Amino acid sequence: SMSALEFAKRLTLAEFAEFGRLRWYEFTEQKWSKKEKERTAPNVTRNSEHFNRIGMWIIHLVVSEKAAQARARIIRQAILVALHLYKLNNFQGVMEILAGLQATPVSRLRRTWQLVGWDMFKVKQTLHALFYSNFLFLRREVQAARPPCIPYLGMYLQDLTFLEDGNANFGEDPSTVNFWKFQRVHAVITEILSFQREAYHCSVEGGRESSATFALELLTLPTTDYDKAFQDSLKLESSAEVRDLKKFQYDPVEEAGEEGALEMLRALRSHPLLLHREESCSDLSRAGTGAEPALPSSTLVSGGEEEGREEGEESENEYLSEVVLCMRNHVTGIKVKTRKWMLKSYPDCFTGAEGVQWMIQNLNVEFRREAEHLGRRLLARDLLKAVVGDAREFKDSKHAYYVFADSDLGKL
């Protein structure tokens, strides 16, 4: 088994390696759609085949499970992987996972989706907003992304198809070249290849050898025929059965408008799910192996070895920084407001009790004392500041006020 993050990193490394093999001439004259595409556009063809393989693999995994709870677990794992891929700027990977989850054999399984849960369904639908209105949000995300990045190749192939089919090479006068068309085609191809410049440097368990093995195993993922998958889906949950169940429906654009939906999409990059002790991706790990890493803790390092201690400290700091990032998420994070105590006002604060409750609800922290301990670790790293109460203690109290360290009060 491996964690969702580990799986997402390995998939990203493998996909960036394939993305780096693309050549400019493969994108001209729609070579990828011609009979000789394997010779004239071999790398684009392999990318497309890989995209379809991942989507059909997700479908296969879901409809192969007879138990609804097992299907729900696979879907939750897939959504969590997609969330990590999104944070890694692997838009190709996100779209692959969504293609499988949105396919009718999976999307029609209402009983299964009820077990997946409304919150996870909303995350999936928010990610699916990347498809909205000719990839409006996806285009804005790609433009705003800081490399490294793997763009969704299908978006660019669609653009090139439109340019080729909708514009002649020559004007009404055969001696007049349509330079505008060729300039646009050049601009699209240049944008695609620009993302090859900066590579990913993700560390994965097992190093390069493990990554290479994973990449090879992606080529032999078990898939299924679409029609067979649909029939299998009907056997799992018949039309009569799902008809009587409520269908989850959620459209972030309808809910919040275009700008609001884009904010919700971007807020997923610091969603608390990214820090969950989610079950390992054992059902998704038929494409590789590895151990599930535990969440960092103050006891990770023992034995006194300097190198191990430094790695433990780095892991601890990274995790705690991610916790604060999630706490500050304007959609799913903790709500701060101005509070008064002893005739004095404290802006942008939250109480210790609110902090504890947020950790329990969002970080899979089971006990309030465990949440207090996590709060003390945040204080010790100067990521939080106490403005009312003991500066070194994080207390589960409505009279203990805390702020983020870089807030105005936190800087005092």
Side-chain angles (χ1 to χ4, degrees):
S1 63
M2 69 178 75
S3 71
L5 174 58
E6 180 73 9
F7 189 94
K9 289 195 294 187
R10 294 190 186 201
L11 183 63
T12 296
L13 290 173
E15 291 183 340
F16 187 81
E18 285 299 317
F19 180 75
R21 295 187 177 97
L22 297 170
R23 296 296 177 263
W24 68 267
Y25 49 80
E26 299 184 64
F27 295 102
T28 60
E29 300 175 315
Q30 301 183 69
K31 290 187 177 77
W32 67 87
S33 63
K34 305 293 176 60
K35 287 184 179 180
E36 296 185 342
K37 61 184 180 182
E38 293 185 359
R39 181 179 63 84
T40 58
N43 298 300
V44 175
T45 301
R46 276 198 296 271
N47 268 265
S48 297
E49 290 173 348
H50 170 79
F51 183 98
N52 294 331
R53 189 184 306 118
I54 295 292
M56 292 307 298
W57 174 58
I58 295 294
I59 296 171
H60 166 76
L61 289 177
V62 174
V63 301
S64 295
E65 289 287 351
K66 289 183 168 53
Q69 284 284 6
R71 295 195 297 274
R73 185 174 64 250
I74 289 170
I75 290 173
R76 287 196 300 270
Q77 291 170 354
I79 294 171
L80 194 54
V81 168
L83 201 56
H84 282 289
L85 290 170
Y86 176 56
K87 187 171 183 179
L88 288 167
N89 288 334
N90 183 353
F91 298 105
Q92 178 86 352
V94 174
M95 302 305 248
E96 291 163 357
I97 300 291
L98 291 177
L101 295 176
Q102 292 294 113
T104 302
V106 176
S107 64
R108 63 169 298 280
L109 298 172
R110 296 187 186 182
R111 181 157 57 94
T112 301
W113 279 101
Q114 288 187 347
L115 293 173
V116 171
W118 172 247
D119 290 340
M120 290 295 278
F121 178 79
K122 280 183 66 177
V123 170
K124 189 264 293 184
Q125 288 298 101
T126 303
L127 282 171
H128 191 257
L130 290 166
F131 284 96
Y132 171 74
S133 187
N134 190 29
F135 307 111
L136 174 64
F137 296 158
L138 177 59
R139 295 178 193 278
R140 292 177 66 175
E141 284 293 85
V142 170
Q143 290 173 0
R146 295 178 59 185
C149 172
I150 306 176
Y152 172 45
L153 202 58
M155 177 180 73
Y156 292 106
L157 297 182
Q158 176 180 292
D159 292 345
L160 290 170
T161 299
F162 174 80
L163 287 168
E164 293 283 3
D165 290 347
N167 300 276
N169 291 342
F170 301 95
E172 294 182 3
D173 181 352
S175 65
T176 305
V177 176
N178 185 357
F179 283 106
W180 178 88
K181 170 185 174 177
F182 293 109
Q183 287 171 342
R184 292 303 307 145
V185 168
H186 174 268
V188 172
I189 297 174
T190 299
E191 183 172 333
I192 296 171
L193 300 183
S194 70
F195 293 105
Q196 295 178 336
R197 295 172 188 162
E198 186 166 339
Y200 285 86
H201 299 286
C202 304
S203 60
V204 297
E205 296 176 6
R208 291 184 178 180
E209 183 178 346
S210 177
S211 296
T213 301
F214 183 87
L216 288 174
E217 290 176 342
L218 289 175
L219 299 174
T220 58
L221 291 176
T223 59
T224 184
D225 175 79
Y226 190 90
D227 291 336
K228 180 182 182 301
F230 185 75
Q231 293 304 316
D232 290 342
S233 177
L234 288 173
K235 292 175 184 177
L236 294 170
E237 298 183 27
S238 68
S239 298
E241 180 183 359
V242 301
R243 192 180 301 120
D244 297 331
L245 296 174
K246 181 181 178 182
K247 180 181 180 180
F248 283 164
Q249 292 182 312
Y250 180 73
D251 183 343
V253 177
E254 187 176 302
E255 177 83 12
E258 287 187 357
E259 290 304 315
L262 182 58
E263 284 188 21
M264 293 167 64
L265 175 65
R266 288 175 171 170
L268 292 180
R269 292 182 181 273
S270 57
H271 197 286
L273 276 172
L274 294 167
L275 294 174
H276 266 207
R277 289 183 178 93
E278 187 74 10
E279 59 261 46
S280 64
C281 289
S282 56
D283 299 287
L284 295 182
S285 61
R286 300 180 195 181
T289 58
E292 180 186 9
L295 287 175
S297 71
S298 57
T299 59
L300 274 177
V301 181
S302 60
E305 291 193 11
E306 190 65 28
E307 184 177 347
R309 182 177 292 106
E310 289 177 0
E311 289 179 359
E313 286 291 318
E314 183 179 349
S315 180
E316 167 86 348
N317 289 336
E318 181 180 349
Y319 170 64
L320 294 178
S321 296
E322 290 290 328
V323 169
V324 170
L325 188 63
C326 290
M327 291 178 75
R328 303 187 72 159
N329 187 306
H330 68 279
V331 176
T332 57
I334 194 167
K335 307 305 178 187
V336 297
K337 63 181 182 181
T338 298
R339 302 172 189 276
K340 289 186 177 181
W341 178 253
M342 301 293 288
L343 302 178
K344 188 174 180 180
S345 293
Y346 301 93
D348 300 327
C349 294
F350 62 91
T351 69
E354 291 169 339
V356 165
Q357 190 61 31
W358 184 91
M359 292 175 194
I360 290 174
Q361 291 176 345
N362 292 282
L363 299 181
N364 278 2
V365 174
E366 294 186 37
F367 305 107
R368 301 188 78 87
R369 291 189 66 179
E370 184 183 356
E372 282 186 311
H373 176 66
L374 177 56
R376 286 195 293 273
R377 287 157 63 190
L378 295 172
L379 287 170
R381 290 299 195 282
D382 290 326
L383 295 169
L384 296 181
K385 295 286 186 181
V387 292
V388 172
D390 191 329
R392 297 167 298 176
E393 287 293 323
F394 190 92
K395 294 186 177 181
D396 181 9
S397 167
K398 64 180 181 179
H399 298 304
Y401 296 170
Y402 301 92
V403 296
F404 298 109
D406 61 352
S407 68
D408 290 338
L409 270 179
K411 293 176 182 178
L412 296 178

